[in-house]
Amino acid sequence: SRYGRSGFWGSLFRHARPGPPCTFHPVRMVPQPTFAPLPEKPSFPQEEEATLKYWKDIDAFQESLRQSKGKEPFNFYDGPPFATGLPHYGHILAGTVKDVVCRHAHQRGYHVERRFGWDCHGVPVEGIIDKKLNIQGRQDVLKMGIDKYNEECRSIVQMYTNEWRQIVERFGRWIDFDNDYKTMDLTFMESIWWCFKELFDKGLVYRAFRVMAYSTALATPLSNFEVAQNYKEVSDPSIIVQFKRKDKENAHVLAWTTTPWTLPSNLALCVHPELKYLKLKKKWDGGEWIVGKDRFDWVCSCIKKDPKKDFEVLEEVPGESLVGITYEPLFPYFKETVDQSKVWRLVSDKYVTTAAGTCIVHQAPAFGEDDYRVCVKYGIIAKDGTGMLQPIDEGGCYTKEVWDFKGQHVKEADANIKQMLKTEGKLVFNGTEVHNYPHCWRSETPLIYRAIPAWFVKVEETRDKLIANNNETYWVPSFVKERRFHNWLVEARDWCIARSRYWGTPIPLWVSDDFEEVVCIGSVAELEKYAGRKITDLHRHFIDDITIPSKKGKGVLKRIDEVFDCWFESGSMPYSSKHYPFENKEDFENSFPAHFIAEGLDQTRGWFYTLMVLSTHIFNKPAFKNLICFGLVLAADGKKMSKRLMNYPDPTEMCNIYGADAVRLYMCNSPVVRAEPLKFKEEGVKDIVKDVFLPWYNVYRFLVEQTTRYEAEHGKFVPDPNRIKKSSNLMDKWINAAMHSLIKFVRDEMDAYRLYTVVGRLTRLLEDLRNWYVRLNRDRMKGANGKDEALTALCTLYEVMLNLVVLLAPLTPFITELLYQNLSKALPDGHAMKAKSVHFVMVPEYDEGALDPDIQRAVERMQGLVELGRLAREQRKVTSKMPLKGMTVINKDPAYIKDIKTLQEYVSEEVNVMQVSYKDGSDGDGVSVTLTPTLNFRALGQKLGKDMKAVKAAVEKLSQEDLAAFERDSKITICGHEITTEEMTLSRGVSELKDQHLHAISDNDNMLVLDFTPDEELFRIYLSREVVNRVQKTRKEAKLRPDDLVDMWAAPVTNGKKGATSKLSEVLSKKKAFIEEKLRNRLFSESLRQGHELVVKQEVFDIDDENLQVTITAKSPFFNDAEMKKLTSGDATADFCCRNYVNTFDIGKLTERCKAGGIEVVCEGKTYKMENKKHFALGAAEASWLS
C-alpha cells in the first residue's frame, strides 16, 4: 500500500478529479420497477414499426377473431377498390373510418369478420391494356382476339396488391387479405348471374332503344348515376343558324345549338305550341326570319342589331301555326336516303323553353332524348330507330356518309362545321357559352348523348320501395340520407346495366336474332347443361361460343355482346362475396343486412345506390342498417389531389415522419367525417403529434417515473381503483367522474357512429388530465403529502390512463398498444383488462355512481377562477412564477364560495397567491360590486316595437338599487313593459379600487381582486422556485430518473467568482429547507464538494441578472474531514490512501461492503479501520455532520 502520488493512487486521483460533463449511467439501488423506463422523446413512427412486428409475432388480428368466435356477429361490407393504382388519402380515410368502427365493435363484444375485396373488372383495367398495346377501338380488340385481350387484363388486375397490403397494414387497419374476394372469381361472377336472374324472373329486365349518355373514349353507354358523378364547367360553341324555308323565297327559320356536330343529323325543328313567334323583315336585305318573341332581344344583342331600327315585325303568331313548314337541310349528306315527306319540317312540343336560344330547337333524334321522343311522336322516325340519322362510329368519329368530316371526332369537328356554315351563309351568330357539362368519370372526356339499344333494370316503378327502405337505414350525417340520397331516389331512372366492353362479367342472356326469344342463365350448372362441358371461368372468351337451341324454331340463341356495368358487380357484393346462394346460405341470411358500411359522398350515386336497388329488388329490404358517409380529401389549396401536380404530401412519407396514428386522428377529427371536404395539410398532422401525442406521452412518462420513484421508496405499486372511491380529494373524484362520463359518451356516440364527436371529447379529457389533474397533483404524486396520498393519486392517474388507452385504441391503434404493453404490467393475471394486446380488451363499463355533477361544477368553477387570475397577471405583466400576497374572491352565492373553498389549495397554487379571502360584495370592506345591464334586442324586438329606443334609454339610467331588485326578482317594469332575465342580463364587476396595487377582474361568473403589493419575502420565494426549476432542468438535460443515485450542488457565480454576496446566496441559505422540500432532495453548497466526485452535468443559469451554477455528480463517498483527521492522526499520506481506496468502489459495491463491516486500509504498515456514517457517508445526503 505504499504508493505515492505518481503511482497507482496518483493515477486514480487524477482520473477522479472533476472534469467536463460525461456520459454517465448511474447506479440504482432499487428493486426491479414494474414499468419499463421510457425515452424522453419517442419516435412514434419507429414505435409503430415495432408494434406491427409485435402484432405479426402474436398473429394479433386473427387471434382477435379466434377470441371473438361464437359471439354475436357484427356484419360489415367493404366496397372493393381497384388494385391498378396505389392507395391515396381517400382510400386511407375510408380504411381508417371502417377500421375504427370495426375495432370498436370488437371491443364491444362482437365478432367482426373483415374481408378485403378487389374490383377487378372494367375500364380502369382495360385502359391500361389499351395504352400498353396501343388499342384504338373495337376492331383492334377483335383483331387481337377477346381471349388474348382479356388475359392481358387478367395479368395486370392485381398489379399493386402487395403495395396495397403494405400501405393498408402500415396505417394500422386490421382486415383479412388472405381470405379476400375478387369480382373476377368464378364464385363471385356466378352469384352476380344469380342476382340478375332474380331480377329477370321478376320481369325487371328489359331491352330498349334509348338516347343515353355515351362515352366515346370507352365506346359504351353510361348509367344516369355515373353521369351525375362528373360534371365540369366547360366553354362550348353557342351558335345561331338559319334554315332556308322551302315554301318562301329569302325566308329562314333561326335555331340555336351548343352542339354543331349534331347538325348533319338534323331531321326537324321544334317550336312551343303556345309561345308567340315573330315573322320579321330584315331592313338591310329584305329577307325574312322566324324567331321566338321572348328571345328576339337576345338574338339582336348577339348579332349587334337594333330590334326597332333594323327589323320590321310582319306578324306575331302562336307556335302551333308554324307546324308543317318545311325547310332545306343544312347539309346534303342524306337527301337521297331519307323519306323527305316526313323530315325537315317544323313540329311542336312543350319541352321548348324561353330560357335560352331562339325558342326553336333543332331536332337530331339520334343525339337527344327529347329530340327522339318528339320525332317518334310525329312519325319522323320509328320507335325502333328506323329513319334515324346516326353517322358516327363507336369512337365518336364521323363515318363516310358525312364525307366532309369523315374520321373527325364529333367534338373536334365543331370548328370545321361552323366554318362551312359561315362560308355558305348559314351561320348567323358564332359565340361561346360556359356551362356545366357531363364528363366520363373514367376517361375524363366529354360525354355525348346517343340513341342505342341497351338492357335496363326497372327502377322508376319501384321508387316508393327504395324510399321506404332508405327510411329504415341510419346515416351519419343524416342530411346525406334525408336530402341528397332521398332526392336521388325520388328522381331515380331505369338503370342501364349493359356495357359494350370485354373484361367484365358477361350478361347471361342468350337471345334469338330478332330478340323475341330470351333465355337467362343463373348458374354455372345451368350453363353446363347447354355447354356440354365443365365451366371453370365465366369470362367472355370462355362462354361466348356456347349456344342454346331455340324452343320457337328460331335456330340457336347466342349470348348478347355486352358485359355488366361494374356498378352492378359492386352492388351485388353482399351476395357474391359469399357465393350466395350456392354456399354460405344460412350464414348470409342470418347476417343480412349488414350492420355497417362506409364510403365517400360520391357513392350516394354509386355503391350506396346500387346496393339499395339490388337489395330492394331481391329481398325488399336495404342492404345495410348503418352508414357513415365522409367527404372528399382535397389538397391544401382546396383543389383535387393530383399525382401529376403532386399537390399533396405522400401518405407513406407522412407515416415515416409523424406516424400513421397522427394521420388517422387528424382525419377523424376533421370535417371530412361529417361529409364535408378536408383540405389536407401536413401542418395538421404535425399538430396532432405536438398537441395530442407528445402531451399524452409526457403524462404517461410522468406516471411511469413517479410510480418507479414510489416503488424505490415504498415497494411494489399495485393499482387499486377502490382507493379512488375512498379518496377525499376532490380532484381525484373529478377526474374519475370525467373518465366515467367519457366512457359512457364514447360507448353511446360510437354506437351511434358519430366519430366526429368522439375525438373532441377524448382529447379534451387528455387536456384536463395534463393541464389540470397532473399539474395540480404533481407534488402530491411525488410524495409531498405522504405515501398514502401519493399512492392514491398514482392509482387515480393509472386508472384514467389505462381506460383512456382502451377507449382510444380503435382511433390510434399504435400509440395505445405502446402505452398498454407497459401499463398492463401492473395488472395481475386474470384481470379483465389484462391481455396480450389492448385490442383484445373490451370497452370498460361506466360507473353511474362516479358521475357526480356537483364535483364537475366545483372544478369548472375553480378552473374559471384560475383562468381569470392568470388573465389578471397578464394584464399587470407579472409572471405567474412571482407569488402574490393574496386574492379576494367576490360572489354572493354561498354554494359557489363553498365549491371554491373546497378546492382552495389548488386555486392558491395555480394563481400563486399566499392567501385567499372571500366576500359577497356587500360587506363594505373596500370592495363594491357594480351591476351592468345588457338588453337582448333580438328577444325584445317584436315585443317592444317602437318603444325599443325609450326602453334602451331608461335601462341606461337604472340605479344599482334597481338592478339589484331586478336580480332578486328576475323581472322589472320599464316604460310599461315587463322585462325578464331572458330579455335582459346582468354582468358583475368591481368598482374602481383606491389601492394602486390591487387589480380587479371579472367575467360572467367570477370576480377577483388580486394584491400585487411588492414583498421581499415573496421575492425570495420566487427566486427559490427559480433555483428549483434550474436544478430540475439540469437533471432533465442529464436524462436522470428519480431513482438515480446522484448528489446535487449549487452556488451563485458573480463576475466569475464563486460565493460573492448576492440575492441568490441569501436565498440558498435562508430558503434551503423550502428548496429541498420542492426538490425532494438535498441541495448542497458547491463549496462542500471534496474534488473526487464524477461530474454528470454542470450548467450555469441566469436568474434575475445573477448567475447560478448547478452541478450534478454521481453519488460517491463523502468524507468527514474531522473524523478522518482523528483516524489518521493528521497523517496526510494515510488520509490520502484511505480516501482513494474507498473511492475505488462503485457506490453499490461500497454499500455491500459497509453492510459486511468496516473498511480496513493498510498504509505504511499501519491499519486504519474506516466506518460508514462516521468517517465517510454514502453520498453527501447521508452525511449527518452536514445537518
Side-chain angles (χ1 to χ4, degrees):
S1 298
R2 294 189 184 90
Y3 294 99
R5 287 188 182 268
S6 59
F8 168 75
W9 290 110
S11 173
L12 177 67
F13 183 81
R14 284 194 299 275
H15 282 92
R17 294 192 64 78
C22 60
T23 302
F24 170 65
H25 303 285
V27 176
R28 297 183 176 91
M29 301 295 291
V30 295
Q32 181 67 31
T34 297
F35 301 126
L38 305 175
E40 182 181 349
K41 293 181 180 179
S43 168
F44 292 119
Q46 289 179 14
E47 295 291 353
E48 289 182 355
E49 294 285 358
T51 297
L52 285 170
K53 184 179 182 304
Y54 175 70
W55 286 345
K56 186 175 181 180
D57 290 343
I58 67 169
D59 195 18
F61 174 46
Q62 291 300 325
E63 176 59 25
S64 72
L65 294 176
R66 286 190 287 270
Q67 290 183 11
S68 64
K69 194 166 182 64
K71 293 182 178 179
E72 183 180 345
F74 178 91
N75 303 299
F76 157 69
Y77 296 154
D78 195 18
F82 285 99
T84 50
L86 293 173
H88 51 66
Y89 283 107
H91 295 118
I92 292 166
L93 168 65
T96 297
V97 171
K98 296 168 187 177
D99 190 54
V100 169
V101 172
C102 289
R103 283 180 181 274
H104 175 77
H106 172 83
Q107 289 186 273
R108 292 282 275 124
Y110 292 96
H111 177 71
V112 190
E113 182 185 274
R114 284 156 272 182
R115 291 177 64 203
F116 204 82
W118 299 104
D119 201 342
C120 304
H121 290 145
V123 172
V125 181
E126 291 188 5
I128 294 172
I129 296 304
D130 289 350
K131 187 174 181 181
K132 173 185 173 183
L133 303 179
N134 194 28
I135 300 291
Q136 298 299 314
R138 181 178 179 82
Q139 293 306 315
D140 289 343
V141 175
L142 297 179
K143 183 179 178 180
M144 174 186 183
I146 292 177
D147 56 342
K148 293 184 177 63
Y149 182 83
N150 275 355
E151 290 307 320
E152 284 282 350
C153 290
R154 192 196 303 270
S155 71
I156 59 106
V157 158
Q158 295 187 277
M159 183 188 304
Y160 293 113
T161 52
N162 289 335
E163 288 83 352
W164 266 84
R165 181 166 188 165
Q166 289 170 8
I167 293 173
V168 168
E169 291 181 347
R170 179 61 188 87
F171 274 90
R173 187 179 181 193
W174 280 5
I175 192 161
D176 195 342
F177 280 97
D178 297 323
N179 186 31
D180 59 4
Y181 69 86
K182 303 177 185 68
T183 60
M184 67 178 183
D185 288 344
L186 176 70
T187 54
F188 196 99
M189 295 170 72
E190 183 178 26
S191 290
I192 292 173
W193 278 20
W194 171 83
C195 290
F196 182 72
K197 193 171 192 311
E198 287 288 304
L199 305 187
F200 185 86
D201 290 346
K202 292 179 179 182
L204 296 170
V205 177
Y206 68 93
R207 183 177 184 268
F209 206 93
R210 289 250 182 114
V211 174
M212 300 182 62
Y214 183 88
S215 170
T216 58
L218 308 183
T220 190
L222 299 181
S223 59
N224 59 315
F225 57 86
E226 289 176 295
V227 174
Q229 288 187 27
N230 195 20
Y231 271 79
K232 293 184 178 182
E233 190 175 85
V234 295
S235 178
D236 271 337
S238 172
I239 66 171
I240 301 173
V241 292
Q242 56 180 4
F243 292 81
K244 184 179 180 182
R245 289 170 58 180
K246 288 183 177 180
D247 62 330
K248 194 171 186 179
E249 286 295 322
N250 201 17
H252 297 80
V253 181
L254 299 191
W256 171 80
T257 185
T258 58
T259 55
W261 64 268
T262 64
L263 291 172
S265 302
N266 170 266
L267 288 176
L269 297 174
C270 188
V271 296
H272 191 291
E274 297 170 2
L275 292 179
K276 299 297 183 181
Y277 288 82
L278 301 178
K279 292 184 178 180
L280 304 165
K281 181 179 180 181
K282 297 181 287 178
K283 292 183 180 180
W284 66 89
D285 66 3
E288 187 177 315
W289 278 350
I290 295 177
V291 66
K293 180 182 179 181
D294 293 297
R295 301 296 296 171
F296 177 44
D297 287 344
W298 174 77
V299 172
C300 290
S301 68
C302 289
I303 62 175
K304 307 247 183 317
K305 296 291 184 181
D306 186 282
K308 294 180 179 178
K309 294 179 181 180
D310 296 321
F311 294 93
E312 178 186 344
V313 177
L314 300 175
E315 189 178 2
E316 181 179 314
V317 296
E320 191 62 40
S321 69
L322 301 175
V323 173
I325 293 176
T326 57
Y327 60 89
E328 292 284 347
L330 295 175
F331 301 96
Y333 309 126
F334 301 102
K335 278 189 173 183
E336 305 303 322
T337 58
V338 300
D339 183 349
Q340 294 201 29
S341 65
K342 294 181 178 180
V343 302
W344 300 322
R345 56 196 174 96
L346 268 65
V347 296
S348 73
D349 193 86
K350 291 185 178 180
Y351 90 89
V352 178
T353 72
T354 60
T358 63
C359 296
I360 302 170
V361 182
H362 115 78
Q363 305 291 289
F367 305 114
E369 189 173 7
D370 285 314
D371 307 35
Y372 176 83
R373 178 180 55 79
V374 171
C375 287
V376 168
K377 181 174 75 171
Y378 277 89
I380 295 171
I381 64 170
K383 196 169 185 180
D384 65 359
T386 302
M388 192 160 50
L389 304 180
Q390 193 168 176
I392 63 172
D393 63 20
E394 63 177 12
C397 297
Y398 281 113
T399 55
K400 62 183 179 180
E401 291 90 347
V402 183
W403 53 81
D404 290 307
F405 311 110
K406 178 186 174 184
Q408 294 183 30
H409 188 275
V410 291
K411 297 297 283 186
E412 294 171 357
D414 277 343
N416 295 331
I417 290 171
K418 289 190 295 180
Q419 183 59 48
M420 178 178 283
L421 291 171
K422 183 177 180 182
T423 302
E424 295 177 355
K426 298 170 183 175
L427 185 64
V428 175
F429 169 70
N430 182 17
T432 58
E433 175 169 301
V434 176
H435 62 156
N436 284 321
Y437 190 81
H439 284 62
C440 176
W441 67 293
R442 289 299 193 194
S443 65
E444 298 291 338
T445 56
L447 299 175
I448 65 171
Y449 284 84
R450 182 179 187 181
I452 55 174
W455 292 89
F456 293 84
V457 168
K458 294 179 182 178
V459 176
E460 295 168 21
E461 65 183 40
T462 58
R463 287 172 180 167
D464 291 343
K465 289 183 179 179
L466 290 170
I467 291 168
N469 283 335
N470 182 45
N471 290 337
E472 292 181 15
T473 62
Y474 172 80
W475 292 47
V476 175
S478 59
F479 75 84
V480 180
K481 166 192 167 180
E482 294 162 0
R483 296 202 290 272
R484 186 183 179 101
F485 195 60
H486 174 81
N487 293 342
W488 183 252
L489 295 180
V490 167
E491 300 295 330
R493 305 283 297 277
D494 285 357
W495 175 12
C496 174
I497 49 92
R499 296 292 179 269
S500 300
R501 303 304 302 176
Y502 319 99
W503 177 242
T505 301
I507 296 178
L509 292 176
W510 272 255
V511 302
S512 59
D513 292 342
D514 58 7
F515 289 93
E516 289 185 1
E517 186 176 357
V518 181
V519 172
C520 181
I521 303 297
S523 70
V524 171
E526 189 178 352
L527 183 60
E528 287 177 341
K529 291 178 183 178
Y530 294 107
R533 65 176 188 260
K534 185 72 175 174
I535 301 297
T536 58
D537 196 309
L538 289 178
H539 287 97
R540 287 189 60 175
H541 54 297
F542 288 93
I543 67 168
D544 276 1
D545 65 311
I546 299 172
T547 59
I548 297 176
S550 170
K551 293 181 179 180
K552 298 182 179 180
K554 295 179 180 288
V556 294
L557 309 185
K558 298 177 182 178
R559 200 194 69 79
I560 63 174
D561 192 56
E562 293 91 340
V563 299
F564 278 109
D565 168 14
C566 62
W567 289 108
F568 193 96
E569 297 185 352
S570 58
S572 73
M573 167 265 160
Y575 332 105
S576 303
S577 62
K578 289 185 175 289
H579 196 207
Y580 180 82
F582 308 101
E583 294 183 80
N584 307 304
K585 192 171 189 297
E586 184 179 351
D587 178 41
F588 168 78
E589 290 172 358
N590 290 336
S591 63
F592 183 82
H595 287 89
F596 165 68
I597 65 170
E599 289 297 340
L601 193 61
D602 54 330
Q603 296 302 323
T604 52
R605 295 174 181 180
W607 192 47
F608 302 156
Y609 175 69
T610 60
L611 282 173
M612 185 67 76
V613 169
L614 291 182
S615 66
T616 298
H617 279 332
I618 298 172
F619 294 106
N620 195 25
K621 61 172 70 173
F624 53 87
K625 298 176 183 177
N626 304 288
L627 183 153
I628 292 178
C629 185
F630 39 83
L632 299 177
V633 184
L634 306 174
D637 58 4
K639 296 179 181 177
K640 188 176 179 180
M641 287 186 171
S642 166
K643 289 182 181 179
R644 179 178 58 84
L645 298 176
M646 280 309 297
N647 59 349
Y648 61 91
D650 179 74
T652 303
E653 189 177 338
M654 291 297 94
C655 254
N656 294 337
I657 297 174
Y658 306 108
D661 274 348
V663 179
R664 287 172 64 111
L665 199 62
Y666 169 63
M667 292 194 294
C668 287
N669 195 35
S670 74
V672 79
V673 290
R674 299 193 299 270
E676 298 172 19
L678 165 65
K679 297 177 181 178
F680 191 96
K681 297 179 181 177
E682 183 176 346
E683 294 82 1
V685 181
K686 184 178 181 180
D687 287 344
I688 290 292
V689 176
K690 176 172 64 73
D691 299 333
V692 180
F693 290 172
L694 285 175
W696 184 12
Y697 179 86
N698 287 335
V699 172
Y700 159 63
R701 184 167 173 263
F702 176 77
L703 170 64
V704 169
E705 287 179 344
Q706 295 313 311
T707 304
T708 302
R709 178 206 57 76
Y710 174 89
E711 291 185 326
E713 296 177 3
H714 307 297
K716 204 71 174 171
F717 168 73
V718 179
D720 181 5
N722 289 322
R723 293 190 74 91
I724 308 170
K725 294 180 179 179
K726 296 175 183 176
S727 174
S728 60
N729 184 287
L730 207 61
M731 290 301 287
D732 291 346
K733 293 182 179 296
W734 167 70
I735 200 66
N736 187 53
M739 179 192 73
H740 283 283
S741 175
L742 178 68
I743 293 171
K744 181 179 186 302
F745 181 83
V746 169
R747 290 168 68 104
D748 292 346
E749 293 300 290
M750 286 297 291
D751 288 352
Y753 299 91
R754 289 188 288 264
L755 272 64
Y756 54 87
T757 64
V758 169
V759 178
R761 278 287 294 268
L762 284 165
T763 53
R764 204 176 313 146
L765 182 62
L766 280 172
E767 291 172 8
D768 281 342
L769 195 63
R770 175 173 65 102
N771 295 332
W772 293 100
Y773 184 77
V774 171
R775 180 183 172 91
L776 298 183
N777 290 276
R778 185 179 294 272
D779 289 344
R780 181 169 163 243
M781 280 184 264
K782 290 181 177 180
N785 297 5
K787 168 190 172 183
D788 197 58
E789 279 295 299
L791 180 57
T792 300
L794 289 172
C795 284
T796 303
L797 182 55
Y798 176 86
E799 187 72 12
V800 175
M801 285 296 291
L802 182 64
N803 281 283
L804 256 180
V805 162
V806 175
L807 287 174
L808 271 164
L811 286 156
T812 53
F814 291 105
I815 189 173
T816 51
E817 189 73 273
L818 171 68
L819 272 59
Y820 176 81
Q821 288 302 319
N822 207 17
L823 291 174
S824 62
K825 292 175 180 177
L827 297 173
D829 291 341
H831 192 283
M833 297 183 80
K834 181 147 187 163
K836 280 189 175 182
S837 168
V838 69
H839 303 290
F840 301 167
V841 181
M842 298 298 104
V843 173
E845 299 287 340
Y846 67 91
D847 181 356
E848 189 75 45
L851 306 178
D852 192 330
D854 293 338
I855 293 174
Q856 189 74 23
R857 184 198 63 238
V859 173
E860 285 176 359
R861 284 173 167 175
M862 180 269 289
Q863 289 172 327
L865 201 63
V866 168
E867 296 291 354
L868 202 61
R870 290 171 180 168
L871 180 59
R873 283 179 171 275
E874 288 178 17
Q875 292 173 349
R876 292 292 286 241
K877 294 182 173 56
V878 174
T879 175
S880 60
K881 297 176 182 179
M882 178 64 71
L884 303 180
K885 276 191 170 183
M887 77 175 190
T888 302
V889 180
I890 305 167
N891 197 297
K892 64 186 297 182
D893 182 1
Y896 178 94
I897 297 298
K898 182 182 177 183
D899 283 345
I900 299 302
K901 282 184 175 179
T902 307
L903 294 161
Q904 180 174 308
E905 175 188 350
Y906 297 116
V907 173
S908 300
E909 183 178 341
E910 282 303 293
V911 184
N912 198 4
V913 295
M914 307 308 292
Q915 184 179 358
V916 180
S917 59
Y918 303 89
K919 297 181 183 296
D920 63 8
S922 60
D923 56 10
D925 289 338
V927 176
S928 60
V929 175
T930 302
L931 299 174
T932 304
T934 302
L935 288 169
N936 184 342
F937 293 110
R938 178 176 294 180
L940 287 168
Q942 190 172 358
K943 177 178 179 178
L944 298 182
K946 62 181 181 180
D947 291 342
M948 178 71 81
K949 189 173 182 181
V951 170
K952 182 175 181 294
V955 166
E956 290 173 353
K957 295 178 181 178
L958 290 174
S959 67
Q960 289 295 303
E961 289 76 13
D962 294 332
L963 295 173
F966 170 71
E967 185 178 44
R968 182 188 66 240
D969 301 334
S970 300
K971 61 182 180 179
I972 189 171
T973 300
I974 303 173
C975 300
H977 297 280
E978 184 176 271
I979 308 298
T980 67
T981 51
E982 292 182 0
E983 298 158 336
M984 184 171 78
T985 57
L986 297 178
S987 57
R988 305 168 71 83
V990 178
S991 58
E992 188 173 337
L993 298 167
K994 296 178 182 178
D995 188 337
Q996 63 175 346
H997 296 302
L998 298 181
H999 184 91
I1001 189 170
S1002 64
D1003 59 19
N1004 290 334
D1005 301 311
N1006 311 290
M1007 284 185 291
L1008 283 180
V1009 177
L1010 272 74
D1011 187 350
F1012 286 89
T1013 304
D1015 183 273
E1016 286 189 14
E1017 177 60 18
L1018 295 181
F1019 186 69
R1020 280 193 286 269
I1021 294 173
Y1022 159 70
L1023 287 180
S1024 301
R1025 287 174 174 165
E1026 291 293 276
V1027 169
V1028 170
N1029 174 269
R1030 301 316 189 273
V1031 173
Q1032 290 173 331
K1033 186 175 181 181
T1034 306
R1035 287 184 63 97
K1036 184 177 181 180
E1037 289 177 356
K1039 295 181 171 54
L1040 295 177
R1041 302 210 308 261
D1043 56 329
D1044 287 332
L1045 302 180
V1046 295
D1047 288 319
M1048 303 183 299
W1049 319 79
V1053 180
T1054 308
N1055 297 324
K1057 295 181 180 179
K1058 298 181 183 180
T1061 303
S1062 68
K1063 291 176 286 186
L1064 285 177
S1065 296
E1066 182 184 17
V1067 164
L1068 288 170
S1069 172
K1070 292 185 177 181
K1071 306 300 290 183
K1072 179 178 175 61
F1074 176 85
I1075 292 170
E1076 292 182 342
E1077 179 188 355
K1078 294 299 179 185
L1079 287 172
R1080 299 196 75 250
N1081 267 303
R1082 298 287 300 277
L1083 181 66
F1084 300 100
S1085 171
E1086 180 75 20
S1087 61
L1088 295 176
R1089 278 182 57 203
Q1090 295 179 337
H1092 59 270
E1093 300 89 353
L1094 178 66
V1095 175
V1096 176
K1097 190 75 175 177
Q1098 188 174 78
E1099 295 281 351
V1100 176
F1101 300 97
D1102 177 74
I1103 299 178
D1104 205 54
D1105 297 329
E1106 290 188 33
N1107 290 330
L1108 176 74
Q1109 178 177 290
V1110 176
T1111 306
I1112 296 177
T1113 62
K1115 189 171 184 180
S1116 59
F1118 188 86
F1119 296 96
N1120 186 333
D1121 291 340
E1123 290 297 327
M1124 289 297 293
K1125 189 173 183 179
K1126 290 180 183 177
L1127 177 67
T1128 60
S1129 302
D1131 185 333
T1133 300
D1135 184 278
F1136 177 80
C1137 287
C1138 289
R1139 290 176 187 252
N1140 279 284
Y1141 179 70
V1142 172
N1143 278 327
T1144 61
F1145 294 89
D1146 67 45
I1147 201 70
K1149 293 280 180 65
L1150 185 60
T1151 302
E1152 294 174 7
R1153 185 69 178 269
C1154 290
K1155 288 179 181 178
I1159 294 177
E1160 293 185 352
V1161 178
V1162 178
C1163 182
E1164 296 181 340
K1166 292 184 179 180
T1167 301
Y1168 300 91
K1169 186 172 182 179
M1170 303 176 67
E1171 297 178 20
N1172 180 28
K1173 298 184 179 179
K1174 179 179 181 182
H1175 300 102
F1176 66 90
L1178 298 175
E1182 295 185 15
S1184 57
W1185 53 90
L1186 292 180
S1187 301

